[in-house]
Amino acid sequence: MITIGMLHHRKDPKTVIKSYAYAAVARAEGINFFFFSPGTVNFVNRTIRGQVYENGNWRERIMPFPDVIYNAGSPEKLIKSKEIINKLKSSIPFTTNSIGNKWNISERLKEAKEFTNYLIPTEIIKDLETFYKYISSFHKVVFKPIDGRKGKGIYFIHKADEKYEVRKDSVSTTYTKEQLSDILIEKLSTETFIVQPYIHSITKSGQVFDFRLHVQKNGEGKWVITTIYPRIAPSGSIIANINNGGYTNYLDPFLQQEFKEEAFNIKRMLEHFSLSLANHLDEIQMMKYGEVIDEIGIDIGLDENLKIWIYEVNWRPGCPPAFYLELDVVVNSIRYAKFIAENQAKINKEITESKKNNRKEKVDLPIIAITGSAGKTTSKAFLASILSKKWTIFESKDYWNTTEHTKKHAAAINDTHEAVVLEYGMAYPGVITEHCSIIQPTISIVTNIGLAHVGNFDSDIKKVAHAKSELIHGMDQSGILILNKDDDNSKYLETDQFKGKIMTVGIKSPANYRAYDVKYEENGMSFKIKLQRQEITLFIPILGEHHVYNALNAIAVADYLGFTPMEIKAGLIFRKPPRRLTIYNCRDNITVIDDTVHSHPQGVRAALDVLTNIRGNRKIAIIGQMRELGDLREQEYSKVGDYVHEKGIDILITYGFRTEEIGAEALKKGFPAKNIYHYTNKDQMHELLKKIVTKDDTILVKGASKTNMFDTVHFLDQFFKA
């Protein structure tokens, strides 16, 4: 006769309600059953001082080691007995094995790829900046503990204008950003939290609902659906969990009421999804840990498009809230325990076969290279952020874009990488050809053709385009090429002989990926785009319309590679490259904008656009020397001077060789002479700033790295430190 031992962290079975049901069903199935805790195990004589249910009472008995152990205790409470449990596992099969917390399960599914499209984008919140970027993008988010259970500790946070509505259970409170920050800091100091976009899943009457999919293995070791049922939140609450006041309903009448003619198809979809995900997680457990799992509870939502979203997957879910279903759960558990005891050789063979089949198929590696006069690094950062949501990628460092860097990248790329994202810089003809000879791209992006380095090309923009075209000639000729439809100079790119697919991005012109309704927000830009037959609103946490183009480059590639709109939206919340329109908030509401990596006429105008779109009192522009303009220097400096006047800048300060030409042109156009300054000595310029900068001023510092304009940013940040 088979013997099952129920392991629990509690010593008294009378405090574990389900122990009665397991004892009763085991007896009905002709199986010996006893309850025990780790401290009662004797490894010397292989006995356990357990509790047996006899004649309506639990009685202590010395029992031999069981044939199988049902692990029913809390993992957190059993951790102190880890050594005992591992020793038991070495000689006795366990029916159930932990698949980790919500974050672990999500990471497993991402790694395995098959179910990533059902995962809600999730971030661990390590700091306030991450949280505020997330809510700026999604507006409505769920903030919850990474190890939370039974719907506890969940907050729904909605950004509305300058306020934040926070709802817990059925209680809503409105906070300012400062008040919310204090709450978040307190929460993050006690435990780890994650944030997810809020999925709109409501009944016709306006109540939030989700589905619990409860699946188990049966007496034949096969996955079966124990039950699927909806959980409906009480009015005013967003938590449908039964422990938080939610209630349940039978599946069929609920589906008929809410979905009418779609009810049958939705039921079949839920059933198929339940079994498919259970089998998938079981395979992952076998391949990674050499173990099997026996029972999971999957909580999912259906959005307005009837798309499934996985809220969370629970190892050892609670029994469904109906007595007869509780018995169904117990019957499956007992019969599966018997199956394990009698079929260890078969299960071990299955695990071995699963590991053999885990060899990854060799697939074509997407190699994405980005060049252009401006926007390379930011486009790369956007794209790498999106792709890393479900792939292991190789990304070149922030400004590593020389051929020597590409040689280092070629040595660093390995079989673990599922995509490569590189930046190809060039200052002379032939450089991009060399890049491509080292690593040939399959997907290429040319951000634009501008005046960066034009002095090295006889001041001829067509020659710059010819050099950039080396990427088109050197890439895989059947690959994908992304071009900027709004960039006039991109018409000089040599695409006639290219045999691959060309896709375009734009804002002003019709394009394959076109942004519209572009707006400046508090900490970035928002825009709309039609993607995969739906209109979505996206947010990027960096200021400037020119960065919308950089985002579009990344969106085009990610969409081509099969990423979902939700994954793209989450990926656009990226790590901004340093000193690219970085905002410093100083005392007296003084704002400093740091854009001190590169400087060319196109970039200066883009930075001036940002300056004029940020709220504040006076606008002060500090513009440094632009190098390598060649014969076009005087002409381009004059254009910048025109633009400074056109944008209504209040104070213009120029720094460096011949930059006074910018101020001279602004003066010609009517810019007040008393508000124009020119320096070739930084210390003198800093002395001026001490005198003229006042409350509510916004200051742009724009210059190339070689002019060390960041010194001025550092000075302003320190002198006006909050």
Side-chain angles (χ1 to χ4, degrees), residues 131-151:
F131 173 81
Y132 284 114
K133 281 181 181 178
Y134 219 84
I135 200 165
S136 292
S137 180
F138 290 101
H139 297 289
K140 297 179 179 180
V141 300
V142 175
F143 179 75
K144 61 185 179 181
I146 195 169
D147 286 312
R149 287 181 64 81
K150 299 183 178 180

Side-chain angles (χ1 to χ4, degrees), residues 366-371 376-377 379-381 383-384 387 393-398 400-402 405-410 412-413 419-425 435-436 438-445 471:
I367 299 175
I368 304 108
I370 305 167
T371 195
K376 297 184 293 294
T377 303
S379 293
K380 179 194 68 179
L383 180 56
L387 299 188
I393 68 161
F394 180 89
E395 174 192 5
S396 57
K397 291 183 181 178
D398 286 332
W400 280 35
N401 62 14
T402 69
H405 291 138
T406 301
K407 290 175 185 176
K408 292 179 180 179
H409 298 152
I413 296 165
V420 174
V421 186
L422 305 171
E423 180 180 338
Y424 285 178
H435 278 295
C436 293
I438 302 165
I439 303 177
Q440 185 185 43
T442 60
I443 299 173
S444 295
I445 298 170
L471 181 62

Side-chain angles (χ1 to χ4, degrees), residues 45 103 114 167 174 226 299 307 348 351 385 391 444 456 500 564 566 633 664 688:
N45 56 20
W103 182 256
E114 191 175 328
R167 186 184 301 173
T174 300
T226 306
D299 295 339
K307 182 188 183 318
N348 289 334
I351 290 171
S385 179
W391 288 353
S444 295
N456 299 336
T564 65
M566 187 73 88
R633 190 206 69 247
L688 171 75

Side-chain angles (χ1 to χ4, degrees), residues 466-477:
H466 176 70
K468 296 293 185 186
S469 295
E470 293 174 16
L471 181 62
I472 303 171
H473 303 318
M475 69 177 289
D476 180 346
Q477 292 301 290

